[in-house]
Amino acid sequence: MAQSTPLKRVHGALAEFSNVQDLYRAAEKVRDAGFKHWDVHSPFPIHGMDDAMGLPKSILSLFVLIGGATGTTTAFLLQYITQVVIYPTVVQSKPANIFTIPAFFPVMFELTILFSAFTCLFGGLALMKLPRLNHPLFNSQNFLKFSDDGFFLCIEARDPSFSIEKTQAFLKELGGKNLEIVEDEI
Amino acid sequence: MASATDTHDHSHAPAGGGNSVAQVLTREPLVLNNRSMHWITEKVSGIVEKPQPKLWWYLIVPCFLLTIVLVSCFTYLIATGIGVWGTNHPVAWCWDITNFVFWIGIGHAGTLISAILFLTRQKWRTGVNRAAEAMTLFAVVCAGIFPALHVGRVWMVYFLAPIPNSNAIWQNFKSPLLWDVFAVSTYFTVSVIFWYLGLVPDLATMRDRAKSSIKKLAYGIFALGWRGGNRQWRHYEMAYLLLAALSTPLVLSVHTVVSFDFATSVVPGWHTTIFPPYFVAGAIFGGFAMVLTLMIPCRSIYGLHDLLTAKHIDNMTKIIALTGSIVGFAYLMELFVAWYSGSNYEFDAFKIRIMYGPYTWTYYAMFFCNVIAPQAFWFKYCREKLWIVMTVCMFVNAGMWYERFVIIVTTLARDFLPGQWDDYHPTWVEIWSFIGTIGLFTMLFLLFLRFLPVIAMSEVKGVLPEADPHYDPTRSKRKTVVRPYLKEVDNPSSDTQPTLAPDGIPGGA
C-alpha cells in the first residue's frame, strides 16, 4: 500500500526550564528580545508572568460587563412585558405598572449573574482559543509534562524574528533544556 | 497578618536584605513534608487511576440501591398522587420543602469555599475547593428533585418557566416562589460552570497521564485541548476571578430568596426580617459540616494528609463555631422579637414551637445540635481530635435538617384558626425519599472520587513556595511546622519521610 508522506512545517522552538524562576527570567529576556508569537506553558498560572511576557490585562471583564447588562435588561423586559403589558394581574396589592419594579429585582439580579457567567465561560474560551483538541505542541512527548511539573517556553515559527538556529541558540543561552523543534503536519 | 508573608515563608524577602528580614510569624505550610509538584500529581491522579479500595465498593452498592429506592418512591408518587405523602391541610409544606432547603443549604459551603475564600485570598481553600464544589452540585441535584415533585403534577413542571403556553397566562413574577426557580437554576448553572472551569487544567493532567486511548479521548474532550500557556492562563485567571466575584453575591442571594419563600408570607413564625441573614449563616454552617463529613474520611482512606492538613480542618471547624454562634444568636433573637413585637400570634407561634406544641422535641434537638454542639470547637483539643470533629459535624448535619423541619412544620401545624390545626406525620414514602437522596448524594460523590481528581492539583501546585517566581531556594528556611499530634494521629509515615520526598513515590495509604 502506498504510503503518503506527510507534509510538515515547523511550528516553533520548544525549550524546557527546570523551575518557575528560570522560566520567569527567560520570559523577561524573550520579551525584551522583541518576540511577538511565543508563550510559556506551566502547570499553574505563574504570578506576575503577564508582566514578564509584556501582556496587557485580559479584556474578558469588559465582555462580562456587557453580558451582565444584557442579563439585567432581558430580565427587566421579560418581567415588565409579561406582568405589565401582556398579562397584568394585581396580586399582593402590588400595582401592575412600572412601580412594581422592586418585585422584579431578584430575577433581574439572577439573570445578570447567569448571563455574566455564560459570557465568562464562552468569552473566556474564545479568548483562550479553546476548545482546540489538536495542537502541534502535543506532538512533543516531552511537552506532556506541562500538566505535571514541566515548564516550557515555545517561540513560534510565525514570529518575524524566528530562525531555527538562532532561536534555538537563544533559548539555550537562556538556560533552556531539551530543546526541540516542534513540527506541524499539514 | 502581614501581607508580605502571605505566600509561604520568607520568599518575598528583598534580595540582599541579609538578616534584616523580620520574622513575623511562620505560617503553617499548606502542603506538608515539602512535597514536590510531581508528588501531588501522582498522589491525586493515583486516586483515579488505581483501583478503588474495597470500602468504595461497600459504599457505592448500598448507595446505588438507595438511589433505586428513591426512583421507586417517586415513581409511586407520580403514579398515585401526592396523597402518598403525609401532607395535609394546613401542613402543605413538610418533608419535601424541609429536604429542599436542607440540601440547597449544604451546597452553599462549596460556593463559599470556592468563591468567597478565593476573593479573600485564603490559600488554604485550594485543598478542599474541588470536593466542596462537587458537593455543591450534588446537593443541588438532590434539592431540585423535591420542589419539582412537590408541585404535584410533575409533568406540568414546565409551567414554572416563563414560556408562552396555550392558556396565555404568565407566571407571577412578584412571587418569591418564582424568584426561587430563577435563583436555584442560576445557582446550579453557575456552580457547574465554576466547577468545570476549575477542572479544565486538571483534566488536561489526567489526559496527559492516561494510558488507554478511551481515557485519553474522554479526558481529552473535556480538557478542551488545554495547553497551559500563559496566553491562556491570563484569560483563565480573569474568568475564574470574575466567576468568583459573581458567585459570591449569588450564593448569598440564593438562600436569601429561599428565605423569602417564608419571610414574605404572613404566617406567624415565618414573617421575620431576620430570615435572610439567618438562613445564609445556617447554610454555610451546615455546608461546612458536610464538607468535613466527606473530606475527613476521604483524607484517611486515600492518604491525603499532606494536602488536607490539620490546618484545613482547624480553619473549617473555626468557621463552624462562628456560623453556629450566628445561628444560635438568630434563634434567640427570633424568640426575643416574638415577645418584643407584642404580636400575640407571633409570640404564640414560638410558644407552641418551644413549650407546648406537638413538635417541641425537634426544637430542642435543633438547638442542641446547632448551637450547643459546635461550641466544642472553641477548644483546640476538640478541633484536633478528628472523632470529635466528626461527631460534631454529624450533629450539625442532623441539626440543620431539624431547623428546617421546625421552621416549616411546627409553624404550619398551628396556624391562626384552632379549627384548622392538624398534626403531620411522614409516611414511608417521604422517609425513604429522603434516605434515597442521601444515597444519591453519596453515590454521586463516590463516582466523582472515581473519575475526577478530588483535589485541585493545579491550584495546590500554585500555592507551593517554589511556585513563586521570586522564590530563592538558597535563602528559604522552609521550616515545616507540623503540629505535634499530627505525627501520631494522622500521618504515621511523616517521621520517615525525607525532607524532599523522592519523586513518584506516593506516601500514605
Side-chain angles (χ1 to χ4, degrees), chain B residues 273-284:
Chain B
T273 48
I274 201 174
F275 261 25
Y278 154 33
F279 269 51
V280 171
I284 291 163

Side-chain angles (χ1 to χ4, degrees), chain B residues 18-34:
Chain B
N19 297 327
S20 62
V21 185
Q23 301 277 315
V24 185
L25 270 175
T26 316
R27 286 211 161 202
E28 269 183 72
L30 295 171
V31 177
L32 297 180
N33 292 325
N34 293 339

Side-chain angles (χ1 to χ4, degrees), chain B residues 267-509:
Chain B
V267 180
W270 286 3
H271 189 60
T272 56
T273 48
I274 201 174
F275 261 25
Y278 154 33
F279 269 51
V280 171
I284 291 163
F285 171 64
F288 266 94
M290 188 57 92
V291 173
L292 281 173
T293 309
L294 295 172
M295 290 317 282
I296 290 176
C298 267
R299 176 174 181 263
S300 309
I301 294 165
Y302 296 109
L304 297 169
H305 301 82
D306 288 346
L307 298 171
L308 273 173
T309 66
K311 182 188 165 73
H312 291 97
I313 296 173
D314 193 61
N315 284 349
M316 286 194 271
T317 49
K318 280 176 182 163
I319 292 176
I320 290 178
L322 170 73
T323 46
S325 304
I326 296 175
V327 167
F329 173 76
Y331 292 163
L332 298 177
M333 192 47 80
E334 255 188 334
L335 295 179
F336 170 75
V337 170
W339 165 75
Y340 191 68
S341 67
S343 161
N344 286 337
Y345 297 107
E346 185 78 12
F347 194 35
D348 245 37
F350 280 88
K351 279 199 277 192
I352 288 166
R353 208 179 267 188
I354 67 170
M355 284 160 68
Y356 45 75
Y359 306 105
T360 46
W361 68 272
T362 57
Y363 186 86
Y364 293 102
M366 166 195 92
F367 205 88
F368 175 77
C369 294
N370 283 353
V371 185
I372 313 284
Q375 302 308 321
F377 288 152
W378 293 106
F379 304 100
K380 198 158 187 257
Y381 180 84
C382 300
R383 295 200 301 269
E384 289 177 351
K385 285 271 173 277
L386 292 186
W387 68 269
I388 299 182
V389 175
M390 278 303 272
T391 313
V392 173
C393 287
M394 287 301 178
F395 273 125
V396 174
N397 289 335
M400 286 315 289
W401 190 87
Y402 277 121
E403 180 193 298
R404 279 66 184 248
F405 182 84
V406 165
I407 291 172
I408 293 168
V409 175
T410 64
T411 309
L412 287 176
R414 296 286 179 271
D415 65 357
F416 292 100
L417 294 173
Q420 283 197 15
W421 291 1
D422 201 355
D423 288 353
Y424 157 77
H425 299 286
T427 63
W428 63 268
V429 183
E430 283 167 297
I431 295 170
W432 281 103
S433 301
F434 179 55
I435 298 172
T437 48
I438 297 175
L440 173 68
F441 177 75
T442 320
M443 185 183 79
L444 290 172
F445 196 79
L446 288 167
L447 290 173
F448 159 70
L449 289 176
R450 169 68 186 80
F451 290 110
L452 293 169
V454 66
I455 286 181
M457 291 182 273
S458 69
E459 294 192 37
V460 173
K461 286 173 196 167
V463 298
L464 288 175
E466 55 265 37
D468 185 337
H470 304 295
Y471 165 77
D472 184 354
T474 55
R475 280 186 50 80
S476 162
K477 297 185 187 99
R478 284 192 75 180
K479 270 185 287 184
T480 307
V481 190
V482 180
R483 292 172 186 231
Y485 64 88
L486 194 76
K487 283 184 192 162
E488 301 128 36
V489 183
D490 292 346
N491 199 356
S493 62
S494 68
D495 279 340
T496 54
Q497 293 293 346
T499 322
L500 258 171
D503 286 353
I505 300 176

Side-chain angles (χ1 to χ4, degrees), chain A residues 31-45:
Chain A
R31 172 198 65 192
D32 294 343
F35 285 100
K36 291 279 170 287
H37 297 285
W38 61 289
D39 205 354
V40 300
H41 299 266
S42 56
F44 49 84

Side-chain angles (χ1 to χ4, degrees), chain A residues 11-115:
Chain A
H11 170 73
L14 183 71
E16 191 187 347
F17 290 82
S18 46
N19 56 42
V20 180
Q21 295 76 35
D22 290 354
L23 183 68
Y24 187 84
R25 281 189 286 268
E28 287 176 324
K29 298 219 176 77
V30 176
R31 172 198 65 192
D32 294 343
F35 285 100
K36 291 279 170 287
H37 297 285
W38 61 289
D39 205 354
V40 300
H41 299 266
S42 56
F44 49 84
I46 296 166
H47 190 70
M49 188 53 96
D50 291 356
D51 289 338
M53 286 180 70
L55 297 174
K57 179 174 164 282
S58 169
I59 199 172
L60 183 62
S61 45
L62 179 67
F63 291 5
V64 173
L65 178 70
I66 296 166
T70 314
T72 320
T73 318
T74 309
F76 172 73
L77 291 177
L78 172 71
Q79 297 180 95
Y80 185 80
I81 292 171
T82 59
Q83 303 299 290
V84 178
V85 182
I86 306 179
Y87 194 75
T89 36
V90 178
V91 283
Q92 299 154 5
S93 70
K94 291 187 183 83
N97 58 30
I98 187 67
F99 295 105
T100 192
I101 194 169
F104 297 163
F105 286 164
V107 174
M108 283 163 73
F109 174 79
E110 302 300 342
L111 285 197
T112 307
I113 300 282
L114 186 68
F115 278 52

Side-chain angles (χ1 to χ4, degrees), chain A residues 21 38 40-41 56 83 148, chain B residues 38 41 171 230-231 234 468:
Chain A
Q21 295 76 35
W38 61 289
V40 300
H41 299 266
Q83 303 299 290
D148 178 8
Chain B
H38 183 65
T41 314
Q171 289 73 24
N230 194 54
R231 286 174 202 274
R234 73 191 185 104
D468 185 337

